[in-house]
Amino acid sequence: FINVDSALKYLESANVTARRIGYQSGQAEALFNLGVAAAMTRDNQKAIDYLQESLQLFQTLDDSIGIARVNNGLGNALKH
């Protein structure tokens, strides 16, 4: 069983910390996971927003695996 509310709190904290210290890869991962968690709560617009922000960071980092993962997440969020 997954506690999405607790996950969201930890992921928000990870996102803030990564942004504060300039850790773009960590921020991209946190935003990706925030998008997945938001999709789990059926908040598809929030999921899309997080995933798009994550995608921008992965593109900046030229991380093709991250880009592929986010595109998959966006596809899932947009089909609902």
Side-chain angles (χ1 to χ4, degrees), residues 4-18:
V4 178
D5 291 332
S6 290
L8 287 167
K9 290 177 189 174
Y10 283 109
L11 291 166
E12 279 291 349
S13 178
N15 181 42
V16 169
T17 301

Side-chain angles (χ1 to χ4, degrees), residues 17-70:
T17 301
R19 179 179 291 139
R20 182 174 42 82
I21 65 173
Y23 180 35
Q24 286 186 317
S25 179
Q27 187 180 1
E29 287 292 336
L31 288 164
F32 171 76
N33 288 316
L34 280 163
V36 170
M40 291 175 74
T41 66
R42 302 281 191 232
D43 191 344
N44 289 334
Q45 187 55 56
K46 187 177 277 190
I48 291 166
D49 292 343
Y50 283 132
L51 290 168
Q52 287 177 332
E53 191 174 351
S54 175
L55 180 60
Q56 290 175 354
L57 285 168
F58 280 127
Q59 288 172 333
T60 298
L61 295 166
D62 198 28
D63 182 337
S64 57
I65 294 172
I67 291 166
R69 289 173 53 226
V70 173

